[in-house]
Amino acid sequence: MSSSRSGELKSATAYRVLALVGLLVAFALRVHRLGEANVWWDEGFTIGLARLPFPEMIWGTARDTHPPLYYALLWPWIRLAGDGEFAARFPSVAFGVLTVAVAGAAGRRLGGPGVQLLALWLLGLSRFHIWWSQETRMYALAALGIALSASFALRVAWKPGSFRIWGAWALSSSIALFSVYPALFAWIPQSLSLLWAIPRRAWPRWLLAHGTLALLMLGWLAFALPRMATWSAGGPPPGWSAVLQLSAVLWTTGISTYVERWAGPAVVLIAGMLPGIVVAVREAVRATRRIRDLFPLALLSIGLALQPVAVWLITRPRSFLYTPRMEARYFLPALPYFSLLLAFSIARAFSIPRLRPFALALALGAFGLSLASLPAYYANRHWRADPALLPFLIHVYARPGDGVILVSGDRAPVFQYYYERVNGANNLPPVYPVPRQAVPVRSDTVERELEGILRAHPRIWLARVESHLQDPEGWVERWLDAHLHRALEFPFGHNGLVLYVTSPQETAVPAENLARLNEIYRLKDPPGIFLGYDRVGRVFRPGETMRIGLYLQPGRPLSLTVEWIRRPDQQVARMELHVPAGSGIRRSSLELPVTPYTPSGDYVVRVEAEGGGSVTIPAFRVEGTIPPPSPSEIAHPMSARLGDRIRLLGYRLYGVREGNPPEAAPGDTLFLDLYWEAEGPIPRSYVVFTHLIGETWNPATGNPVWAQDDQVPLEGAYPTTHWIPGQPLRDRYVLQLPAEMPAGDYLLEAGMYLLETGERLPVSGEGADPTARRLILGLIRVRPRR
């Protein structure tokens, strides 16, 4: 074998290995944290349709804003693999990885192995494509259809007489067109470019392929259009510049928020494609088969350019069908065009020696933007327990004949998803979304909404999920309070769950529910007090609450000691729980709010009953919290106390100029970090005040206070009742100096008070003014205005 032949084989093997590695990386990125995000509205709606019997599902998709192909593929899948978050999203992962492979194949036909690898890796690492390959929606399937049809269009241009290739192109086009209607705009450039590129003798095949597609699509539209609703998502339509800016940022970074921050790099990257495109056009013009060589550029460039036009058009107000808001997902079908065009332009620029440094910089910039945006994407994928726990509690307490009133605005699909997800849950209490007759609920419509439900069910569950969207005045809850008794109540922030009954009664957990719910874990407890527990969710972040349901059968009143332990042995919280005697099974809720300073790590819960009986429950993991500040951070250490349990360790002031005292100017913004520590549990929530006090009267405030920031610590995220004894914390306050502030020396003070009464905590130690109950931190000199 010649050395050149051997080199070619080694090179081909290297390309194949790199392509295989790229596909494996693409799969890993798309499956990573796949199930670690809650189902959102569109996903809940999609799975809800796919749960229906097949004929009902098809009727439902006819009323939807998308064609039926994705639903038809999801329907058998969830019956085989289940409809959990991971399982329901996995088809999109498969479609995404296939799209990456197809883009690589199209790149090879477009410009050889180099373009193949570039296109495959660019799309494989694309945050935008990873994002929609992890959603239970049809957009990854639409992108696959466009990539397939583009790949076959390139083959058709070379072999326009092959019926087999024309058939493959028509089939792949139907995948795109039967996934999302706007895919039509990504497909039209293929159709017109092919008509321009192929010889006239192949036009009958072009007509046959299009005729077949037209018959299929017209047949579906004849069925669907009479059933589609006409409505608008509301809001002003986007301007042309906003559409272009969002498309550029999405294709290059996959980021859909604060796009103005990324618009500059995105535009630079897209503009960097021009030299390679110019090189390719020049080579095509010089070629003998000019039209065929220009065809790939026309297909990709026009397809890419038409997608923003499509989004701009479909978001224009009109009087028929659905008028959506501008959404990131509408730009996804054209993403394979972008990856192919970018790969092609880099390769063509690299073929010119003097452009190679530029081509290398363009490639590094493209990969750099993708890689830089991925960590934040994955960090935001987090599964919250509360949306699943709220419907789960209905299953825990449900009895035959119960009914559920759901006041949720437009959040019903998410509630229904988790409500129907509970394992072992059969004969579910029916759910009545309210309002049914008026939007929103009004005082004169609430009785008509509810009276029929009340007659049909002796017990009513009220599930409030974003209820302010449809019942801002709370008329449903008021009406139920006036006609029924509250038996149980579970608050979930501004959401909640309430059980209403016709007469007061014990709220024991039915024994059959305890036995059939797979989410309830049995406990081995010889005294028979602790029967089991539930824990919904595994990982918690600041702002959430770790919740455990403890199932007890108390024959006598119980006093329980509950300890939350961060492994191996750090006690984070300790509480007493008193359970009255009862004949049935009771569920006691053990809760620990996760604050910004809750220690990260794995937790267990130890529960001990007075007089005997104890259990240890493996609980949760806490992540994303702030480590305690180091003493070295404190620029001005202090030793002061507020009340008998709070210490001020010192402070640090930013925004001032060095001096004695430090100086500032009117209009400046000062940042004050206070460092606190609790010496024991704090039973009440206090507001921290920080003031800048002058010698002259401030007419704006009616007192000598010229700047202030009063708040519950950490802007309300870490009230003193949640402080962990012995763990320091850093708490920031912002003091905005007025522009008209007179020159002079100002006193910087801090302290705490009760919001309900305004009563300040007593102070002692360094800087203490016991009479005014304040701590004096120091002086700040304000210079005269210039």
Side-chain angles (χ1 to χ4, degrees):
M1 182 183 294
S2 67
S3 59
S4 61
R5 178 62 176 164
S6 175
E8 289 175 3
L9 288 175
K10 289 180 180 179
S11 179
T13 301
Y15 277 118
R16 283 195 292 270
V17 169
L18 286 173
L20 179 59
V21 170
L23 289 175
L24 292 174
V25 169
F27 174 76
L29 290 173
R30 283 152 182 78
V31 84
H32 179 55
R33 300 182 69 92
L34 182 63
E36 297 180 32
N38 293 89
V39 160
W40 58 292
W41 193 100
D42 281 12
E43 289 185 308
F45 175 83
T46 302
I47 297 170
L49 267 182
R51 282 171 171 168
L52 297 174
F54 196 84
E56 292 183 34
M57 182 198 70
I58 294 299
W59 279 87
T61 58
R63 296 189 296 270
D64 188 26
T65 56
H66 297 291
L69 179 59
Y70 179 79
Y71 295 104
L73 296 174
L74 186 64
W75 190 88
W77 172 259
I78 65 172
R79 281 156 179 81
L80 291 171
D83 58 8
E85 287 94 341
F86 186 97
R89 291 169 180 151
F90 195 81
S92 293
V93 172
F95 300 145
V97 176
L98 283 172
T99 306
V100 173
V102 171
R108 187 178 186 89
R109 184 160 295 277
L110 189 65
V115 178
Q116 174 190 13
L117 287 180
L118 279 171
L120 187 151
W121 278 90
L122 284 168
L123 189 59
L125 296 177
S126 166
R127 167 174 161 160
F128 191 25
H129 196 254
I130 293 168
W131 171 11
W132 287 99
S133 297
Q134 294 194 317
E135 301 280 355
T136 311
R137 295 295 282 164
M138 59 287 300
Y139 297 97
L141 180 60
L144 173 60
I146 291 298
L148 276 170
S149 59
S151 180
F152 284 115
L154 292 172
R155 295 185 65 183
V156 166
W158 282 85
K159 293 184 178 180
S162 172
F163 278 104
R164 182 175 60 85
I165 299 176
W166 274 109
W169 178 80
L171 178 62
S172 56
S173 298
S174 68
I175 292 174
L177 297 175
F178 277 87
S179 297
V180 294
Y181 293 115
L184 176 70
F185 292 91
W187 171 79
I188 284 175
Q190 295 183 25
S191 177
L192 297 180
S193 300
L194 279 173
L195 187 62
W196 168 66
I198 62 176
R200 291 193 176 187
R201 66 177 182 275
W203 282 11
R205 292 170 177 77
W206 184 95
L207 288 171
L208 179 61
H210 284 75
T212 304
L213 279 173
L215 285 174
L216 290 172
M217 204 66 196
L218 289 173
W220 168 252
L221 291 175
F223 172 72
L225 282 176
R227 294 166 178 81
M228 285 186 192
T230 295
W231 61 286
S232 173
W240 181 239
S241 61
V243 175
L244 287 178
Q245 187 180 66
L246 180 59
S247 63
V249 173
L250 284 172
W251 289 331
T252 54
T253 69
I255 294 173
S256 60
T257 56
Y258 304 106
V259 294
E260 62 280 354
R261 298 179 183 177
W262 297 88
V267 170
V268 169
L269 182 65
I270 292 174
M273 296 162 62
L274 291 177
I277 293 173
V278 169
V279 170
V281 170
R282 186 180 62 184
E283 291 175 353
V285 169
R286 293 174 179 174
T288 55
R289 300 190 63 176
R290 182 181 308 169
I291 293 178
R292 192 189 68 180
D293 289 350
L294 284 173
F295 165 72
L297 281 174
L299 185 152
L300 299 177
S301 302
I302 300 173
L304 198 62
L306 269 188
Q307 198 66 26
V309 175
V311 174
W312 186 87
L313 286 173
I314 65 175
T315 54
R316 298 302 95 187
R318 57 183 177 275
S319 59
F320 64 98
L321 301 181
Y322 171 50
T323 304
R325 290 189 295 266
M326 181 173 65
E327 300 283 359
R329 53 186 178 267
Y330 301 141
F331 296 92
L332 189 74
L335 184 61
Y337 288 154
F338 177 78
S339 299
L340 284 166
L341 190 61
L342 178 57
F344 184 68
S345 65
I346 291 172
R348 281 293 177 267
F350 196 81
S351 67
I352 307 299
R354 65 176 181 274
L355 290 180
R356 284 178 183 173
F358 173 82
L360 183 61
L362 183 62
L364 292 175
F367 286 116
L369 280 176
S370 292
L371 293 173
S373 64
L374 277 177
Y377 166 74
Y378 287 118
N380 288 329
R381 291 191 69 81
H382 172 61
W383 196 90
R384 295 179 60 252
D386 284 2
L389 181 57
L390 189 150
F392 170 75
L393 288 172
I394 298 176
H395 292 281
V396 170
Y397 288 95
R399 295 180 182 176
D402 285 5
V404 180
I405 294 174
L406 175 62
V407 185
S408 67
D410 60 356
R411 302 300 190 268
V414 176
F415 176 88
Q416 290 279 13
Y417 170 79
Y418 288 110
Y419 184 67
E420 297 175 14
R421 270 280 301 150
V422 178
N423 292 329
N426 299 309
N427 302 317
L428 303 176
V431 177
Y432 301 93
V434 171
R436 294 173 296 166
Q437 301 174 5
V439 180
V441 178
R442 303 192 307 265
S443 59
D444 59 330
T445 63
V446 63
E447 186 166 357
R448 293 198 304 274
E449 294 272 9
L450 302 182
E451 59 181 353
I453 303 172
L454 191 59
R455 285 196 300 268
H457 302 282
R459 304 198 327 165
I460 298 291
W461 293 91
L462 172 63
R464 294 184 289 102
V465 183
E466 308 292 343
S467 58
H468 62 280
L469 298 173
Q470 296 286 11
D471 187 14
E473 301 296 325
W475 289 112
V476 171
E477 196 163 358
R478 293 189 202 182
W479 193 89
L480 291 172
D481 282 335
H483 292 80
L484 299 170
H485 300 272
R486 288 183 180 231
L488 284 170
E489 187 167 2
F490 303 97
F492 291 87
H494 58 272
N495 298 330
L497 180 67
V498 183
L499 172 62
Y500 287 94
V501 296
T502 52
S503 59
Q505 58 184 253
E506 268 198 20
T507 53
V509 175
E512 59 271 20
N513 292 0
L514 194 67
R516 69 181 172 82
L517 291 174
N518 296 340
E519 290 80 3
I520 296 178
Y521 305 89
R522 308 293 294 194
L523 285 168
K524 293 181 180 179
D525 175 40
I529 297 172
F530 304 109
L531 302 179
Y533 66 93
D534 65 57
R535 51 174 186 168
V536 177
R538 293 293 182 270
V539 180
F540 289 78
R541 293 181 178 180
E544 301 174 43
T545 300
M546 296 188 283
R547 307 178 197 266
I548 289 177
L550 185 62
Y551 295 87
L552 310 162
Q553 197 160 20
R556 56 181 174 80
L558 289 176
S559 293
L560 304 178
T561 301
V562 181
E563 295 179 320
W564 294 80
I565 307 295
R566 176 181 176 268
R567 287 175 174 167
D569 58 2
Q570 180 186 6
Q571 185 186 101
V572 174
R574 185 178 188 274
M575 56 196 71
E576 303 293 329
L577 185 65
H578 301 285
V579 182
S583 57
I585 300 172
R586 293 182 178 273
R587 180 186 183 275
S588 293
S589 184
L590 314 180
E591 300 182 358
L592 181 68
V594 179
T595 68
Y597 279 102
T598 299
S600 295
D602 295 318
Y603 281 71
V604 299
V605 178
R606 296 174 186 165
V607 185
E608 185 173 344
E610 186 180 24
S614 64
V615 293
T616 299
I617 301 172
F620 311 106
R621 180 168 185 79
V622 173
E623 66 178 24
T625 55
I626 306 170
S630 167
S632 61
E633 294 181 28
I634 306 174
H636 301 279
M638 295 178 65
S639 179
R641 299 175 65 87
L642 295 91
D644 58 356
R645 300 186 182 184
I646 300 174
R647 292 178 59 206
L648 179 65
L649 305 178
Y651 70 94
R652 190 181 192 100
L653 187 63
Y654 299 89
V656 293
R657 296 154 188 83
E658 291 186 6
N660 190 18
E663 295 185 350
D668 282 355
T669 301
L670 310 185
F671 298 93
L672 174 65
D673 286 350
L674 300 176
Y675 295 82
W676 306 101
E677 184 178 88
E679 295 182 326
I682 303 171
R684 307 192 71 173
S685 176
Y686 293 97
V687 177
V688 176
F689 68 85
T690 56
H691 297 160
L692 206 57
I693 307 292
E695 297 177 355
T696 58
W697 202 256
N698 183 354
T701 61
N703 55 47
V705 176
W706 283 87
Q708 75 178 90
D709 186 5
D710 293 14
Q711 57 175 279
V712 173
L714 268 66
E715 299 181 346
Y718 198 21
T720 54
T721 51
H722 296 160
W723 286 10
I724 299 170
Q727 180 167 295
L729 65 128
R730 178 178 54 252
D731 186 22
R732 172 158 290 188
Y733 294 82
V734 180
L735 299 169
Q736 182 64 53
L737 308 189
E740 66 280 4
M741 194 173 189
D745 289 344
Y746 290 78
L747 203 63
L748 180 61
E749 66 175 21
M752 291 186 178
Y753 63 88
L754 284 171
L755 180 63
E756 301 86 350
T757 63
E759 180 183 0
R760 292 184 175 184
L761 266 179
V763 295
S764 60
E766 187 177 349
D769 179 356
T771 304
R773 295 193 172 187
R774 63 178 181 173
L775 295 172
I776 298 172
L777 305 182
L779 287 175
I780 294 177
R781 179 163 294 162
V782 175
R783 301 194 310 265
R785 285 175 291 177
R786 294 181 180 177

